[in-house]
Amino acid sequence: MARLTGGDPSLLRRINSAVVLHALRATDCATLTEVSRVTGLSRPTVEGVVEGLIEAGLVVETAAGEGTARRQGRPARRFRFRAEAGHLLGLEIGVHRVAALLADLDGRVIGAEAADADETVDADERLERLDAAVSRLLDRAGVPRGSLRAVGVGTPGIVEADGTVRLGTALPGWTGLGLGELLGRRFKCPVLVENDANAAVVAEHWKGAARETDDVVFVLAGLSPGAGSLIGGRLHRGYGGAAGEIGALHLLGREATPETLLSTTDEPLHPLDEQAVAEVFAQAREGDKRALAAMDRFIRRLVHDVAALVLALDPELVVIGGWAAGLDGVLEPLRRELARYCLRPPKVALSHLGEAAVATGAVRLALDHVEEQLFAVEGTVTTRR
Amino acid sequence: MARLTGGDPSLLRRINSAVVLHALRATDCATLTEVSRVTGLSRPTVEGVVEGLIEAGLVVETAAGEGTARRQGRPARRFRFRAEAGHLLGLEIGVHRVAALLADLDGRVIGAEAADADETVDADERLERLDAAVSRLLDRAGVPRGSLRAVGVGTPGIVEADGTVRLGTALPGWTGLGLGELLGRRFKCPVLVENDANAAVVAEHWKGAARETDDVVFVLAGLSPGAGSLIGGRLHRGYGGAAGEIGALHLLGREATPETLLSTTDEPLHPLDEQAVAEVFAQAREGDKRALAAMDRFIRRLVHDVAALVLALDPELVVIGGWAAGLDGVLEPLRRELARYCLRPPKVALSHLGEAAVATGAVRLALDHVEEQLFAVEGTVTTRR
């Protein structure tokens, strides 16, 4: 904070701006008197701050106020936060597809786009398809790239603080990829890269199955399984960003990998062949005995992974996503086994957000970044102009 | 903080007291001028604060200062923190013994005492033996019970915030025991009850193998295994206090319990028979083949437990304690297997504190409590007199 106190506008003015912006954002629109009452600031102070926010493009006087003004003489002017003053992207880079969500500064999603990208697609091509999806999305919404304030990205693998993928075995060419830098060249705003399961747990906490708790583990079931957790509402990344990388548990149990468990023949599935997995799931739904047996093996394995996470972390809630989000049959055995093995079994729920979890979490990470900027040093917006 | 600002002495005086006390504690002894320089407080302010601390019994003018005063006219007076102004106890309640450490207000251990209490000893008798050990310890050190400022306790089981044992299968009569309340009756000061593995990880971080890291998992290997972890230097208890209760992993893997793995006959050991385990360890050291095979099975199992914790939490360091602290052979297989299964293998070390880990951690928990009191609301000490 020290560097803020010396200059002009003062730290106080910045704090007041953040407080007023926060109050306006919490409501549809408000009068200066209402903002003054909510914030405890004097009316002249609120008026000065709101003028600055209007200049910065973050607040606008509402048309409703203007409309009634003509008829009734001089009603109070009303103002609202301009959620459309900037935009956010939430990107998902997955093993079988890439996806993008576009949101306004309230985090409201205003568009979505996706493209296939199976396990044979290399890193360059995967990022090309993602970029093409983003371009289509922005074009359709009529939002210029310059309006983007932050981009969140969810990807498999262990991600360094600078957005480099330290280790990513689920995607070809992923280990060592400077994902943050590569995407940073395509956008003129901050790009925040996060592990996919971490992004998903943030999403379920924001809009999904974990809204009511701050201590939650999200399990992204799949051929390359992972987990993300919030402890006291904060993302637990681990010392080296590898927390929740539970794929190795399959090996540890000296039992089989998902691709062996889920095979209905003597040959394991291809390690990244999601399509083959979908077929096994479909066969199981039709009552195929070999497929049902494969599902049973897979669920037993999932229960084991989840139990290990629960014993280590002791969350209030476990949310199951990825493949398993579509598995009606997974919750009951999971609850039964957790009750048997855990001293304090957590609640268990399926993902509410399903396929959208990772990209939604990426939006939230972008929004967190922008909110930090708006509410911490909002004053710089007005002085930079 | 609000309730502090209204009264007298002022909040400022309390803060100054805490700052001065902190400065004096960090050195052997210091002059008023030195304290003034270190704290940035004026000399008259420091002088006033030090007088208050002397009245409260927390600071004393050193004899050295007085001694030189006579010879050399008027040298600067020197003052020191009175670490002997109060005392702390760190208690361990174990499956085969109870133990107590006595420390001064600097956390320096000035006495230790222990007593056997095997798995047949009930809760009342176990607490009696602990109390008798404490009495012997205090008598020998010449410290009255009234001098105790806080008592830390490490116990197996899941411990509630009020010190009740929610679940404790390792000791007879332990589940549901109001341990905090029972011990509170025997002491006139705050009693802080903590899970034993949690206490141990605090101890290794304070004085042991984990001094250099804030992200560490401590594994208390034993017939009733457990783990404690620090995340960013803070104890991770989990939502319901059950984090690290990894005993159930043995069942989950559908492999055997430690008592089966460690048996050298076809019959498993008694679940809580530590003596039998010690014999197997001794036989293994003498080269007995069946004992060596049992050790090998046990180490494989331990590796599995540790790997599950590492995958979930991603610590910088794993410290192995409990039985395994005495096992030379445990580190190499552990490092090898973690490197094989973990995407980012942590460092691995044996406990430095060994058998003293739990009681030492209990001392630290008591010291944390006292420091919070001294440094947060120190002023109340002077106003209460």
Side-chain angles (χ1 to χ4, degrees):
Chain A
M1 301 289 268
R3 70 195 168 85
L4 295 180
T5 53
D8 184 34
S10 70
L11 175 61
L12 191 59
R13 187 177 160 85
R14 287 162 206 243
I15 290 173
N16 289 346
S17 289
V19 166
V20 168
L21 198 54
H22 202 281
L24 282 172
R25 240 189 126 200
T27 176
D28 273 349
C29 61
T31 64
L32 296 177
T33 308
E34 284 164 358
V35 173
S36 173
R37 199 187 60 235
V38 170
T39 60
L41 297 171
S42 75
R43 222 193 100 110
T45 300
V46 170
E47 190 158 13
V49 166
V50 165
E51 271 168 29
L53 291 171
I54 289 174
E55 280 175 42
L58 288 168
V59 165
V60 68
E61 191 172 339
T62 57
E66 289 168 349
T68 49
R70 282 184 216 114
R71 284 200 309 272
Q72 301 173 11
R74 215 171 154 240
R77 296 158 72 202
R78 304 187 74 84
F79 302 88
R80 69 168 176 84
F81 173 62
R82 286 188 70 234
E84 71 277 21
H87 291 85
L88 311 165
L89 280 178
L91 308 181
E92 177 195 357
I93 305 178
V95 177
H96 57 114
R97 65 164 204 157
V98 290
L101 293 177
L102 179 65
D104 66 18
L105 291 185
D106 274 336
R108 195 167 35 223
V109 172
I110 56 175
E113 186 68 52
D116 287 340
D118 71 16
E119 73 277 9
T120 64
V121 174
D122 70 16
D124 282 350
E125 173 64 17
R126 194 171 297 269
L127 293 182
E128 280 306 318
R129 291 190 194 180
L130 180 63
D131 204 43
V134 166
S135 294
R136 289 197 302 278
L137 178 57
L138 294 174
D139 284 354
R140 222 175 48 219
V143 169
R145 279 198 178 225
S147 178
L148 295 174
R149 296 283 189 110
V151 176
V153 188
T155 171
I158 301 178
V159 181
E160 309 263 7
D162 70 353
T164 301
V165 180
R166 173 132 54 115
L167 190 60
T169 54
L171 294 174
W174 221 243
T175 296
L177 193 71
L179 191 56
E181 200 204 327
L182 288 171
L183 289 172
R185 285 185 211 151
R186 296 168 196 237
F187 301 103
K188 297 241 155 43
C189 62
V191 174
L192 310 134
V193 185
E194 187 56 80
N195 171 269
D196 51 3
N198 287 356
V201 75
V202 167
E204 295 288 345
H205 186 245
W206 183 31
K207 293 187 170 184
R211 264 171 299 188
E212 306 295 319
T213 174
D214 283 340
D215 295 277
V216 54
V217 170
F218 178 94
V219 178
L220 192 64
L223 286 173
S224 176
S229 39
L230 298 184
I231 297 174
R234 294 184 57 195
L235 203 48
H236 173 63
R237 293 187 176 87
Y239 175 71
E245 292 292 332
I246 54 171
L249 278 177
H250 295 292
L251 305 173
L252 275 169
R254 300 180 195 259
E255 293 178 42
T257 59
E259 47 270 29
T260 309
L261 296 172
L262 283 167
S263 170
T264 52
T265 69
D266 292 338
E267 285 295 300
L269 307 178
H270 184 284
L272 299 173
D273 188 351
E274 299 271 344
Q275 188 52 40
V277 172
E279 279 164 26
V280 175
F281 282 22
Q283 287 164 11
R285 276 194 296 273
E286 287 160 15
D288 180 277
K289 276 195 181 153
R290 298 194 72 160
L292 282 169
M295 290 288 294
D296 193 52
R297 287 195 297 269
F298 168 70
I299 287 175
R300 272 215 305 268
R301 190 67 237 179
L302 184 66
V303 167
H304 184 279
D305 290 355
V306 171
L309 286 166
V310 167
L311 291 172
L313 288 164
D314 186 28
E316 183 181 11
L317 171 71
V318 174
V319 177
I320 306 292
W323 291 342
L327 303 182
D328 295 339
V330 80
L331 283 195
E332 265 325 298
L334 200 51
R335 288 202 183 104
R336 193 174 57 237
E337 297 294 291
L338 287 177
R340 200 170 141 205
Y341 294 127
C342 299
L343 296 181
R344 203 204 55 77
K347 288 179 271 187
V348 181
L350 289 180
S351 162
H352 285 189
L353 300 169
E355 209 180 21
V358 176
T360 302
V363 169
R364 180 68 243 186
L365 293 166
L367 183 57
D368 284 346
H369 182 84
V370 168
E371 285 185 350
E372 257 170 49
Q373 289 187 310
L374 289 181
F375 296 135
V377 287
E378 166 50 32
T380 56
V381 176
T382 53
T383 54
R384 271 201 204 129
R385 295 177 74 249
Chain B
M1 299 286 268
R3 70 193 169 86
L4 294 180
T5 53
D8 183 33
S10 69
L11 175 62
L12 190 61
R13 187 180 160 86
R14 286 162 206 243
I15 292 173
N16 289 345
S17 288
V19 166
V20 168
L21 198 55
H22 202 282
L24 281 172
R25 239 188 128 200
T27 176
D28 274 350
C29 61
T31 64
L32 296 178
T33 308
E34 284 163 358
V35 173
S36 174
R37 199 185 61 236
V38 169
T39 59
L41 298 171
S42 75
R43 220 194 101 109
T45 300
V46 170
E47 190 156 13
V49 166
V50 166
E51 270 167 29
L53 291 170
I54 289 173
E55 279 176 42
L58 288 167
V59 166
V60 68
E61 191 172 341
T62 58
E66 290 169 349
T68 49
R70 281 184 216 114
R71 284 200 309 274
Q72 300 174 13
R74 216 173 153 236
R77 295 159 72 202
R78 305 189 73 84
F79 302 88
R80 69 167 177 84
F81 173 63
R82 285 188 70 233
E84 70 278 21
H87 291 85
L88 311 166
L89 280 178
L91 307 182
E92 177 194 358
I93 305 179
V95 178
H96 57 114
R97 65 164 203 157
V98 291
L101 293 177
L102 180 65
D104 66 19
L105 291 184
D106 275 335
R108 196 168 34 225
V109 172
I110 56 175
E113 186 67 52
D116 288 338
D118 69 18
E119 72 278 8
T120 63
V121 174
D122 70 17
D124 282 351
E125 173 64 19
R126 195 171 297 270
L127 294 182
E128 279 306 320
R129 292 191 194 178
L130 180 63
D131 204 44
V134 166
S135 294
R136 289 196 302 277
L137 178 57
L138 293 174
D139 284 354
R140 222 175 46 218
V143 169
R145 280 199 178 223
S147 178
L148 295 175
R149 296 283 189 113
V151 176
V153 188
T155 170
I158 300 178
V159 181
E160 309 263 6
D162 70 353
T164 302
V165 180
R166 174 131 54 113
L167 188 61
T169 53
L171 294 174
W174 221 242
T175 296
L177 193 72
L179 191 54
E181 201 205 326
L182 287 170
L183 289 172
R185 283 184 213 152
R186 296 169 196 237
F187 301 103
K188 298 241 154 43
C189 62
V191 174
L192 309 134
V193 184
E194 187 56 80
N195 170 270
D196 51 3
N198 287 355
V201 74
V202 167
E204 295 288 343
H205 185 245
W206 182 31
K207 292 185 168 185
R211 263 170 299 187
E212 306 294 320
T213 174
D214 283 340
D215 295 277
V216 54
V217 169
F218 179 93
V219 178
L220 193 63
L223 285 175
S224 176
S229 39
L230 299 184
I231 296 175
R234 294 185 55 196
L235 203 48
H236 173 62
R237 293 186 175 89
Y239 176 72
E245 291 293 330
I246 54 171
L249 278 177
H250 295 293
L251 305 174
L252 275 170
R254 301 180 193 261
E255 293 180 42
T257 57
E259 47 270 30
T260 309
L261 296 171
L262 282 168
S263 170
T264 52
T265 70
D266 293 335
E267 286 295 301
L269 307 179
H270 185 284
L272 298 173
D273 188 351
E274 299 272 344
Q275 188 52 41
V277 173
E279 277 164 26
V280 175
F281 282 21
Q283 287 164 10
R285 276 193 295 274
E286 285 160 16
D288 179 275
K289 275 195 182 152
R290 299 193 69 160
L292 282 170
M295 290 288 294
D296 193 50
R297 287 194 297 270
F298 169 71
I299 287 175
R300 272 214 306 267
R301 191 67 236 178
L302 185 66
V303 166
H304 183 279
D305 291 354
V306 172
L309 286 166
V310 167
L311 292 172
L313 289 164
D314 186 28
E316 183 180 12
L317 171 71
V318 173
V319 178
I320 307 292
W323 290 342
L327 303 183
D328 294 340
V330 81
L331 282 195
E332 266 324 298
L334 200 51
R335 288 201 183 105
R336 192 172 59 236
E337 298 293 292
L338 287 178
R340 201 171 141 202
Y341 295 126
C342 299
L343 295 180
R344 204 205 55 75
K347 288 179 270 187
V348 181
L350 288 180
S351 162
H352 286 188
L353 300 169
E355 209 179 22
V358 176
T360 301
V363 168
R364 179 68 243 186
L365 293 167
L367 184 56
D368 284 346
H369 181 84
V370 168
E371 286 185 350
E372 258 170 47
Q373 290 187 309
L374 288 180
F375 296 136
V377 288
E378 165 51 31
T380 56
V381 176
T382 54
T383 54
R384 270 203 206 126
R385 294 178 73 251

